[in-house]
Amino acid sequence: MTVIATSSSLGLAARVASILSHELIVAEEKVFPDGEKYVRIPRRVSGDAIIIHSLHPPQDERFVQLLLTIDAVRGVGASRVIVAIPYLAYARQDKRFLEGEPVSVGVVLKSVEAASADALITVDLHKPSSLDEWLRIPHANLLPVQHLASYFLGKLRDPVVLAPDKGALARAQLAAETLNASFDYIEKTRDKITGGVSILPRQVDVCGRDVVFIDDIISTGGTLIAAARSVTSAGARSLYAACTHALLISGALDKLYAAGLKEVVATDTVPSPVSKVSIAKPLAEAIAEFLIG
Ligand code: R5P
């Protein structure tokens, strides 16, 4: 089997190839003067190929690169093409919230399948059931919550894990099990008399405790900054944040530190200054399972 790396996930692909002891081929990439993308796989491939290519910004460009790469890998002789998209862009538009909108995640997934992928692996998809909904090829969604939580083992005092919304409560529970901590989610409530809004944990008292926020994505950081302000005013001792996909748009990391976060930790699905937890091993294991199965 051959691991195909693109500029989008070079480090992660190299780590996976090393774990699996498979050959690594780095795709050649360039941009034509008119902006169109060019991809070339510089060698023939025999047997199966795994493309590792994340769709972080500029996501539209990377999306086109991915589709071209799948076709190029097929063209150099791969018998099966497994596509690993550690960060799958457009996943948050998973339904038509308003009349006239697309289901963007469906468009992305169907395109990858149409480009002739034989299997798809992603990590911490915003709504995991999107895979079943839109793909006919075999697929898997890896959840690295326990890996992220393990990063904090032995570093926290009386910890509480908080999800920034109710939808992420199961994620907070998983992390809390690893850390032997309590967990809760942040709830926005409006005072019926004053009209003031408070964003606070629903049940757990954070006073004097270390708080770990856990989320799938940190994009602008807005969600966590609001949550950090609330728990700071409720007396939390130290604040930490862990996420799978650190997009960190528009100076988000600086803003998070300014809001009182002591440390932010992420996986390497998106290369970032805080990508301290690698998903290479679980990804390599998932790839190996596909190859056997
Ligand atoms: C929302 O549904 C996600 O789980 C994240 O909470 C959100 O995408 C984070 O975005 P931001 O960092 O811009 O607040």
Side-chain angles (χ1 to χ4, degrees), residues 149-161:
S150 298
Y151 177 87
F152 293 103
L153 277 171
K155 296 182 181 170
L156 307 172
R157 207 168 74 187
D158 194 13
V160 51
V161 181

Side-chain angles (χ1 to χ4, degrees), residues 92 126 164-165 168 171 215-225 252:
R92 284 170 285 182
H126 190 65
D165 56 46
R171 176 189 311 274
D215 208 351
D216 56 347
I217 300 172
I218 301 178
S219 182
T220 63
T223 305
L224 283 185
I225 289 165

